[in-house]
Amino acid sequence: MRYGIVLFTSDRGIAPAVAAAAAERAGLDSFYVPEHTHIPVKRESPHPHTGDSSLPDDRYMRTLDPWVALATAASVTTRIRLATAVALPVESDPITLAKTIASLDHLSGGRVTLGAGFGWNVDELTDHGVPGAKRRTVLREYLEAMRALWTDDEASYAGEFVSFGPSWAWPKPAQAHIPVLIGAGGTEKTFKWIARSADGWITTPYEVDITDQVATLQAIWRDAGRRGAPEVVALGGRPDPDRLAHLASIGVTEVVFGLPDRAADDVAAWIGRLGERLGLQPR
């Protein structure tokens, strides 16, 4: 089982490049960042944790662009995977986003993982012209269109929300297949979507006992005719050995720990201690 960290990026606190470099030195496998383009002041969408329009953290309104953040991290690392937890692809132009992700993967030597969400903040999606009731369909089309641009010499796509004729688009990603993970509540609807269109699941930070959910995902994956097993990335929690052993036993492939909102030196030290607690070899 792999281990990573997620930095709730903002315009204060530790810089993404500093955190990623510290994580790589500590022996961690992955570095995740989130995305919100903006937060409308007046919203009808309740936050999944608070249950109303209040936000649990002011960094929601201060989040850095994920791809710029990961590019800075790529420039100071050589091994650690560069990932999002989660990005909101439907809030960008799919052709431009495909180019951005392909460029990052090319320049980083094939280290990108796209963790994507459907978007709990429907008001945010609305400002981008995305119908809230159609956000799963829009994301599916975006991913299909981007995969065409990443793999085909002459790419084209025709959908309800994305459409373009035969086109050239380079660079191609260094990876033959960029992993796509979906960060969303662990429901049967989500798992069927993943089995059709993605490579795995990122839990929400508020889901603790995921034993039954992982089993459901694995069954739906098999029923859909998918080979192997889905990736399962568990967010949140402490590095408790018994808990980690249990997660590994049920098929979790990676555990990602959230960084504290502290001064940069404190966070870097925290990352080092995390690697020691996990028994990782510093590099």
Side-chain angles (χ1 to χ4, degrees):
M1 192 166 63
R2 305 181 303 276
Y3 299 107
I5 58 170
V6 56
L7 171 64
F8 202 148
T9 58
S10 76
D11 56 357
R12 57 176 170 77
I14 193 168
V18 176
E24 184 165 273
R25 288 194 302 270
L28 290 156
D29 298 294
S30 54
F31 176 67
Y32 288 78
V33 297
E35 178 174 27
H36 280 287
T37 57
H38 69 301
I39 300 293
V41 174
K42 294 183 178 181
R43 303 185 316 283
E44 295 182 2
S45 303
H47 185 275
H49 183 54
T50 65
D52 56 32
S53 62
S54 63
L55 298 171
D57 194 308
D58 75 327
R59 287 175 294 179
Y60 277 92
M61 62 190 75
R62 312 181 74 93
T63 310
L64 303 182
D65 179 275
W67 306 109
V68 174
L70 291 177
T72 66
S75 69
V76 296
T77 58
T78 59
R79 178 191 58 82
I80 201 166
R81 287 202 68 83
L82 308 167
T84 49
V86 292
L88 299 168
V90 301
E91 296 186 351
S92 299
D93 174 83
I95 299 173
T96 302
L97 182 60
K99 171 76 75 172
T100 296
I101 295 174
S103 297
L104 179 60
D105 199 66
H106 168 74
L107 293 171
S108 68
R111 292 191 278 146
V112 173
T113 294
L114 172 57
F118 301 121
W120 63 266
N121 193 344
V122 175
D123 305 87
E124 181 181 348
L125 298 177
T126 299
D127 286 349
H128 287 281
V130 178
K134 289 279 194 175
R135 60 191 186 274
R136 290 173 180 250
T137 301
V138 179
L139 180 59
R140 178 178 292 117
E141 289 193 5
Y142 269 49
L143 292 175
E144 291 172 351
M146 290 195 295
R147 286 175 176 138
L149 291 163
W150 290 336
T151 57
D152 297 345
D153 285 349
E154 289 190 4
S156 62
Y157 189 82
E160 181 181 358
F161 298 97
V162 184
S163 182
F164 55 88
S167 304
W168 296 317
W170 272 270
K172 303 300 184 186
Q175 299 176 91
H177 177 79
I178 290 181
V180 175
L181 310 176
I182 298 301
T187 65
E188 184 174 326
K189 181 179 180 180
T190 293
F191 294 154
K192 287 182 177 179
W193 199 102
I194 289 171
R196 174 181 172 180
S197 300
D199 302 297
W201 174 44
I202 302 175
T203 73
T204 69
Y206 316 111
E207 292 170 302
V208 179
D209 184 359
I210 58 172
T211 303
D212 292 342
Q213 289 163 301
V214 173
T216 299
L217 171 59
Q218 292 169 339
I220 291 173
W221 185 268
R222 291 191 298 269
D223 290 345
R226 296 291 297 269
R227 294 182 179 181
E231 292 286 319
V232 179
V233 178
L235 289 182
R238 297 182 177 181
D240 175 72
D242 292 338
R243 174 178 177 270
L244 295 177
H246 172 70
L247 292 175
S249 73
I250 64 173
V252 171
T253 52
E254 184 172 17
V255 177
V256 177
F257 302 93
L259 295 181
D261 185 14
R262 301 176 189 166
D265 289 346
D266 293 339
V267 174
W270 189 95
I271 293 170
R273 291 193 299 272
L274 175 65
E276 293 173 357
R277 292 188 65 181
L278 293 171
L280 304 179
Q281 294 297 320
R283 305 192 181 199

PDB file of all heavy atoms in Angstrom, residues 216-234:
ATOM      1  N   THR A 216     -18.274  -3.311  -2.302  1.00  0.00           N
ATOM      2  CA  THR A 216     -19.278  -2.995  -3.313  1.00  0.00           C
ATOM      3  C   THR A 216     -18.625  -2.504  -4.595  1.00  0.00           C
ATOM      4  O   THR A 216     -18.999  -2.926  -5.703  1.00  0.00           O
ATOM      5  CB  THR A 216     -20.254  -1.935  -2.778  1.00  0.00           C
ATOM      6  OG1 THR A 216     -20.924  -2.444  -1.624  1.00  0.00           O
ATOM      7  CG2 THR A 216     -21.280  -1.555  -3.834  1.00  0.00           C
ATOM      8  N   LEU A 217     -17.647  -1.632  -4.471  1.00  0.00           N
ATOM      9  CA  LEU A 217     -16.930  -1.144  -5.648  1.00  0.00           C
ATOM     10  C   LEU A 217     -16.267  -2.294  -6.397  1.00  0.00           C
ATOM     11  O   LEU A 217     -16.349  -2.384  -7.630  1.00  0.00           O
ATOM     12  CB  LEU A 217     -15.883  -0.110  -5.237  1.00  0.00           C
ATOM     13  CG  LEU A 217     -14.897   0.334  -6.323  1.00  0.00           C
ATOM     14  CD1 LEU A 217     -15.622   0.942  -7.513  1.00  0.00           C
ATOM     15  CD2 LEU A 217     -13.879   1.316  -5.745  1.00  0.00           C
ATOM     16  N   GLN A 218     -15.615  -3.179  -5.674  1.00  0.00           N
ATOM     17  CA  GLN A 218     -14.927  -4.297  -6.317  1.00  0.00           C
ATOM     18  C   GLN A 218     -15.912  -5.206  -7.051  1.00  0.00           C
ATOM     19  O   GLN A 218     -15.623  -5.687  -8.150  1.00  0.00           O
ATOM     20  CB  GLN A 218     -14.138  -5.077  -5.269  1.00  0.00           C
ATOM     21  CG  GLN A 218     -12.958  -4.298  -4.703  1.00  0.00           C
ATOM     22  CD  GLN A 218     -12.341  -4.944  -3.480  1.00  0.00           C
ATOM     23  OE1 GLN A 218     -12.989  -5.751  -2.796  1.00  0.00           O
ATOM     24  NE2 GLN A 218     -11.108  -4.595  -3.165  1.00  0.00           N
ATOM     25  N   ALA A 219     -17.098  -5.425  -6.463  1.00  0.00           N
ATOM     26  CA  ALA A 219     -18.108  -6.267  -7.108  1.00  0.00           C
ATOM     27  C   ALA A 219     -18.644  -5.606  -8.367  1.00  0.00           C
ATOM     28  O   ALA A 219     -18.803  -6.260  -9.421  1.00  0.00           O
ATOM     29  CB  ALA A 219     -19.245  -6.554  -6.129  1.00  0.00           C
ATOM     30  N   ILE A 220     -18.916  -4.311  -8.290  1.00  0.00           N
ATOM     31  CA  ILE A 220     -19.409  -3.579  -9.461  1.00  0.00           C
ATOM     32  C   ILE A 220     -18.343  -3.548 -10.551  1.00  0.00           C
ATOM     33  O   ILE A 220     -18.643  -3.682 -11.749  1.00  0.00           O
ATOM     34  CB  ILE A 220     -19.840  -2.154  -9.044  1.00  0.00           C
ATOM     35  CG1 ILE A 220     -21.100  -2.221  -8.184  1.00  0.00           C
ATOM     36  CG2 ILE A 220     -20.049  -1.264 -10.259  1.00  0.00           C
ATOM     37  CD1 ILE A 220     -21.510  -0.892  -7.585  1.00  0.00           C
ATOM     38  N   TRP A 221     -17.098  -3.404 -10.166  1.00  0.00           N
ATOM     39  CA  TRP A 221     -15.966  -3.413 -11.098  1.00  0.00           C
ATOM     40  C   TRP A 221     -15.919  -4.731 -11.864  1.00  0.00           C
ATOM     41  O   TRP A 221     -15.804  -4.746 -13.100  1.00  0.00           O
ATOM     42  CB  TRP A 221     -14.694  -3.196 -10.290  1.00  0.00           C
ATOM     43  CG  TRP A 221     -13.413  -3.049 -11.054  1.00  0.00           C
ATOM     44  CD1 TRP A 221     -12.551  -4.051 -11.392  1.00  0.00           C
ATOM     45  CD2 TRP A 221     -12.824  -1.831 -11.529  1.00  0.00           C
ATOM     46  NE1 TRP A 221     -11.463  -3.543 -12.054  1.00  0.00           N
ATOM     47  CE2 TRP A 221     -11.605  -2.180 -12.148  1.00  0.00           C
ATOM     48  CE3 TRP A 221     -13.190  -0.496 -11.480  1.00  0.00           C
ATOM     49  CZ2 TRP A 221     -10.756  -1.237 -12.712  1.00  0.00           C
ATOM     50  CZ3 TRP A 221     -12.358   0.447 -12.046  1.00  0.00           C
ATOM     51  CH2 TRP A 221     -11.162   0.079 -12.651  1.00  0.00           C
ATOM     52  N   ARG A 222     -16.033  -5.837 -11.129  1.00  0.00           N
ATOM     53  CA  ARG A 222     -16.000  -7.155 -11.775  1.00  0.00           C
ATOM     54  C   ARG A 222     -17.209  -7.340 -12.683  1.00  0.00           C
ATOM     55  O   ARG A 222     -17.085  -7.856 -13.810  1.00  0.00           O
ATOM     56  CB  ARG A 222     -15.959  -8.251 -10.708  1.00  0.00           C
ATOM     57  CG  ARG A 222     -14.654  -8.315  -9.927  1.00  0.00           C
ATOM     58  CD  ARG A 222     -14.593  -9.594  -9.094  1.00  0.00           C
ATOM     59  NE  ARG A 222     -15.667  -9.639  -8.095  1.00  0.00           N
ATOM     60  CZ  ARG A 222     -15.549  -9.176  -6.856  1.00  0.00           C
ATOM     61  NH1 ARG A 222     -14.414  -8.602  -6.469  1.00  0.00           N
ATOM     62  NH2 ARG A 222     -16.557  -9.274  -6.009  1.00  0.00           N
ATOM     63  N   ASP A 223     -18.376  -6.932 -12.213  1.00  0.00           N
ATOM     64  CA  ASP A 223     -19.590  -7.109 -13.005  1.00  0.00           C
ATOM     65  C   ASP A 223     -19.533  -6.311 -14.303  1.00  0.00           C
ATOM     66  O   ASP A 223     -20.177  -6.680 -15.297  1.00  0.00           O
ATOM     67  CB  ASP A 223     -20.816  -6.684 -12.187  1.00  0.00           C
ATOM     68  CG  ASP A 223     -21.120  -7.641 -11.044  1.00  0.00           C
ATOM     69  OD1 ASP A 223     -20.572  -8.762 -11.049  1.00  0.00           O
ATOM     70  OD2 ASP A 223     -21.889  -7.252 -10.133  1.00  0.00           O
ATOM     71  N   ALA A 224     -18.788  -5.211 -14.289  1.00  0.00           N
ATOM     72  CA  ALA A 224     -18.650  -4.391 -15.492  1.00  0.00           C
ATOM     73  C   ALA A 224     -17.622  -4.963 -16.462  1.00  0.00           C
ATOM     74  O   ALA A 224     -17.402  -4.398 -17.540  1.00  0.00           O
ATOM     75  CB  ALA A 224     -18.267  -2.962 -15.108  1.00  0.00           C
ATOM     76  N   GLY A 225     -16.967  -6.045 -16.066  1.00  0.00           N
ATOM     77  CA  GLY A 225     -15.979  -6.670 -16.941  1.00  0.00           C
ATOM     78  C   GLY A 225     -14.616  -6.020 -16.915  1.00  0.00           C
ATOM     79  O   GLY A 225     -13.789  -6.265 -17.807  1.00  0.00           O
ATOM     80  N   ARG A 226     -14.358  -5.196 -15.892  1.00  0.00           N
ATOM     81  CA  ARG A 226     -13.055  -4.552 -15.790  1.00  0.00           C
ATOM     82  C   ARG A 226     -12.011  -5.543 -15.273  1.00  0.00           C
ATOM     83  O   ARG A 226     -12.279  -6.355 -14.383  1.00  0.00           O
ATOM     84  CB  ARG A 226     -13.115  -3.345 -14.856  1.00  0.00           C
ATOM     85  CG  ARG A 226     -14.018  -2.213 -15.316  1.00  0.00           C
ATOM     86  CD  ARG A 226     -13.492  -1.486 -16.543  1.00  0.00           C
ATOM     87  NE  ARG A 226     -12.221  -0.838 -16.287  1.00  0.00           N
ATOM     88  CZ  ARG A 226     -12.085   0.421 -15.854  1.00  0.00           C
ATOM     89  NH1 ARG A 226     -13.159   1.156 -15.606  1.00  0.00           N
ATOM     90  NH2 ARG A 226     -10.886   0.959 -15.684  1.00  0.00           N
ATOM     91  N   ARG A 227     -10.810  -5.454 -15.789  1.00  0.00           N
ATOM     92  CA  ARG A 227      -9.726  -6.334 -15.365  1.00  0.00           C
ATOM     93  C   ARG A 227      -9.066  -5.802 -14.102  1.00  0.00           C
ATOM     94  O   ARG A 227      -9.093  -4.605 -13.827  1.00  0.00           O
ATOM     95  CB  ARG A 227      -8.683  -6.460 -16.476  1.00  0.00           C
ATOM     96  CG  ARG A 227      -9.182  -7.159 -17.735  1.00  0.00           C
ATOM     97  CD  ARG A 227      -8.060  -7.277 -18.758  1.00  0.00           C
ATOM     98  NE  ARG A 227      -8.494  -7.956 -19.970  1.00  0.00           N
ATOM     99  CZ  ARG A 227      -7.710  -8.210 -21.010  1.00  0.00           C
ATOM    100  NH1 ARG A 227      -6.441  -7.797 -20.981  1.00  0.00           N
ATOM    101  NH2 ARG A 227      -8.192  -8.827 -22.070  1.00  0.00           N
ATOM    102  N   GLY A 228      -8.433  -6.707 -13.374  1.00  0.00           N
ATOM    103  CA  GLY A 228      -7.707  -6.313 -12.180  1.00  0.00           C
ATOM    104  C   GLY A 228      -8.649  -5.799 -11.107  1.00  0.00           C
ATOM    105  O   GLY A 228      -9.785  -6.249 -10.969  1.00  0.00           O
ATOM    106  N   ALA A 229      -8.166  -4.832 -10.356  1.00  0.00           N
ATOM    107  CA  ALA A 229      -8.951  -4.256  -9.266  1.00  0.00           C
ATOM    108  C   ALA A 229      -8.880  -2.751  -9.332  1.00  0.00           C
ATOM    109  O   ALA A 229      -7.896  -2.183  -9.816  1.00  0.00           O
ATOM    110  CB  ALA A 229      -8.423  -4.748  -7.915  1.00  0.00           C
ATOM    111  N   PRO A 230      -9.909  -2.054  -8.856  1.00  0.00           N
ATOM    112  CA  PRO A 230      -9.880  -0.589  -8.883  1.00  0.00           C
ATOM    113  C   PRO A 230      -8.892  -0.042  -7.872  1.00  0.00           C
ATOM    114  O   PRO A 230      -8.652  -0.639  -6.816  1.00  0.00           O
ATOM    115  CB  PRO A 230     -11.312  -0.207  -8.505  1.00  0.00           C
ATOM    116  CG  PRO A 230     -11.785  -1.359  -7.657  1.00  0.00           C
ATOM    117  CD  PRO A 230     -11.143  -2.579  -8.256  1.00  0.00           C
ATOM    118  N   GLU A 231      -8.308   1.105  -8.186  1.00  0.00           N
ATOM    119  CA  GLU A 231      -7.529   1.832  -7.201  1.00  0.00           C
ATOM    120  C   GLU A 231      -8.478   2.386  -6.137  1.00  0.00           C
ATOM    121  O   GLU A 231      -9.586   2.831  -6.463  1.00  0.00           O
ATOM    122  CB  GLU A 231      -6.779   2.992  -7.857  1.00  0.00           C
ATOM    123  CG  GLU A 231      -5.678   2.570  -8.812  1.00  0.00           C
ATOM    124  CD  GLU A 231      -4.457   2.053  -8.079  1.00  0.00           C
ATOM    125  OE1 GLU A 231      -4.091   2.646  -7.050  1.00  0.00           O
ATOM    126  OE2 GLU A 231      -3.880   1.059  -8.545  1.00  0.00           O
ATOM    127  N   VAL A 232      -8.053   2.328  -4.894  1.00  0.00           N
ATOM    128  CA  VAL A 232      -8.836   2.915  -3.803  1.00  0.00           C
ATOM    129  C   VAL A 232      -7.892   3.759  -2.960  1.00  0.00           C
ATOM    130  O   VAL A 232      -6.939   3.236  -2.367  1.00  0.00           O
ATOM    131  CB  VAL A 232      -9.512   1.848  -2.922  1.00  0.00           C
ATOM    132  CG1 VAL A 232     -10.286   2.532  -1.784  1.00  0.00           C
ATOM    133  CG2 VAL A 232     -10.459   0.980  -3.755  1.00  0.00           C
ATOM    134  N   VAL A 233      -8.150   5.066  -2.932  1.00  0.00           N
ATOM    135  CA  VAL A 233      -7.326   6.002  -2.186  1.00  0.00           C
ATOM    136  C   VAL A 233      -8.137   6.500  -0.998  1.00  0.00           C
ATOM    137  O   VAL A 233      -9.186   7.126  -1.177  1.00  0.00           O
ATOM    138  CB  VAL A 233      -6.885   7.185  -3.069  1.00  0.00           C
ATOM    139  CG1 VAL A 233      -6.056   8.183  -2.261  1.00  0.00           C
ATOM    140  CG2 VAL A 233      -6.087   6.679  -4.272  1.00  0.00           C
ATOM    141  N   ALA A 234      -7.673   6.204   0.195  1.00  0.00           N
ATOM    142  CA  ALA A 234      -8.374   6.589   1.415  1.00  0.00           C
ATOM    143  C   ALA A 234      -7.799   7.887   1.950  1.00  0.00           C
ATOM    144  O   ALA A 234      -6.594   7.980   2.215  1.00  0.00           O
ATOM    145  CB  ALA A 234      -8.276   5.483   2.469  1.00  0.00           C
TER     146      ALA A 234
END
